[in-house]
Amino acid sequence: MSAWLVTGSGGMLGRDLLARLAAEGEPATGLDRAALDITDPAAVRAALRAHEPAVVVNCAAWTAVDDAESQESEALAVNGTGPRVLAEACRESGAVMVQISTDYVFPGDAGTPYAEDAPTGPRGAYGRTKLAGERAVLDTLPERGYVVRTAWLYGAGGGNFVRTMIKLESVKDTLDVVDDQRGQPTWTADLAGLLVRLGRAALAGTAEPGVYHGTSGGETSWFGFTREIFRLLGADPERVLPTDSAAFVRPAPRPAYSVLGHEAWQRAGIEPLRNWRAALTEAFPELLTAERQTSVTGQ
């Protein structure tokens, strides 16, 4: 029996969540993609019967944003159908469910932070499929369903923007980075701690079900983010040059503004995440070590 079940546990967030749960003495089981297909109702019901979790956190997702444009039905199976299957199993077992979602459910054209209840309007396939997953969980579990939207994730346990910039700094004289997209860089270890607090509050009945925004405080652009990475490396930030999104045309549209508001945490009596710069500073030694080990081993 596990108090917590983490699906998609092989990913960057899933790994950090299992580590945080272990550090805090919470019995937890992680099931990665090979261990559990969340789109398979029989397999999901069997997993919940076997582990009897009080809280299920779904970190499983199709995250290939550009590929979703040409493979939307496949992305929808993971991001929309899978959460519904999990939610239905949680409804039968009585478990709380926390669904991880994304800033891409918004159109990205705001000028002030998106509130949790702001109108959605995804511009691409990835956002549409993630919104379908949100609705499935909230509709199926109106009293025990939680959605945590996050964005710009980085961590030591997987490929991400910070680790890519660490690698590029050592091989590029200058880097052109977009300065017309704004968001909130968020450390997966910080988000993991927040998810633990939310799960506990949900079980205690002190956090209302619904939507929460799990991103760091403050905001920056990819350009500003990269300059901070260079500064932490001891490299000259002036080597990072600003450009705009037109220089990097991709199949899926990127939100120009992905800053999320955090009012729901305050209503639940939970402290929102700290400023992104403070988190990056603490995370950086671990990220640097992970990237350097990857460069040496090629894994």
Side-chain angles (χ1 to χ4, degrees):
M1 178 177 178
S2 296
W4 296 70
L5 178 64
V6 179
T7 58
S9 62
M12 191 166 59
L13 176 58
R15 292 179 187 181
D16 276 352
L17 178 54
L18 286 177
R20 178 58 65 94
L21 289 165
E24 299 197 11
E26 292 276 3
T29 297
L31 297 176
D32 62 14
R33 181 171 54 186
L36 179 64
D37 175 1
I38 64 169
T39 70
D40 183 338
V44 169
R45 287 196 298 271
L48 265 66
R49 285 196 300 269
H51 300 289
E52 299 181 348
V55 181
V56 174
V57 183
N58 181 33
C59 297
W62 175 296
T63 56
V65 174
D66 289 323
D67 290 346
E69 292 298 310
S70 59
Q71 302 176 62
E72 187 165 355
S73 60
E74 293 90 336
L76 182 61
V78 180
N79 292 343
T81 302
R84 181 175 294 280
V85 169
L86 282 166
E88 289 171 348
C90 288
R91 183 176 60 192
E92 295 173 7
S93 71
V96 164
M97 180 173 170
V98 181
Q99 167 68 16
I100 306 302
S101 193
T102 175
D103 59 303
Y104 276 72
V105 301
F106 293 115
D109 56 0
T112 56
Y114 284 102
E116 291 85 352
D117 60 355
T120 54
R123 296 176 55 222
Y126 172 68
R128 289 192 294 269
T129 64
K130 292 296 287 184
L131 183 59
E134 287 190 10
R135 290 172 173 169
V137 171
L138 297 177
D139 289 348
T140 305
L141 290 170
E143 297 180 352
R144 296 193 310 280
Y146 296 78
V147 168
V148 178
R149 296 177 182 140
T150 191
W152 293 31
L153 288 181
Y154 66 88
N160 56 79
F161 186 82
V162 177
R163 290 185 55 175
T164 297
M165 293 305 105
I166 290 171
K167 178 169 57 180
L168 291 178
E169 186 278 331
S170 66
V171 298
K172 297 282 189 179
D173 291 332
T174 61
L175 282 178
D176 295 329
V177 183
V178 295
D179 197 27
D180 59 353
Q181 297 174 21
R182 299 193 67 78
Q184 297 155 307
T186 302
W187 185 20
T188 48
D190 268 5
L191 179 56
L194 192 65
L195 293 173
V196 174
R197 295 193 291 276
L198 176 61
R200 288 171 173 165
L203 293 175
T206 56
E208 291 293 322
V211 177
Y212 294 75
H213 286 165
T215 51
S216 292
E219 64 179 84
T220 189
S221 67
W222 293 111
F223 166 72
F225 190 17
T226 306
R227 283 203 157 187
E228 185 65 10
I229 294 166
F230 270 49
R231 188 188 69 79
L232 290 169
L233 280 168
D236 183 2
E238 295 298 321
R239 291 167 53 201
V240 182
L241 307 176
T243 187
D244 59 34
S245 300
F248 297 95
V249 178
R250 317 251 319 251
R254 265 54 179 180
Y257 188 82
S258 291
V259 182
L260 306 182
H262 305 123
E263 291 77 9
W265 297 111
Q266 297 170 8
R267 293 193 293 270
I270 299 173
E271 187 71 22
L273 294 183
R274 57 184 160 171
N275 183 272
W276 71 270
R277 288 181 187 272
L280 180 62
T281 299
E282 183 176 334
F284 203 77
E286 183 183 6
L287 290 157
L288 184 58
T289 297
E291 185 54 38
R292 286 178 173 169
Q293 287 176 342
T294 298
S295 298
V296 170
T297 64
Q299 298 178 351

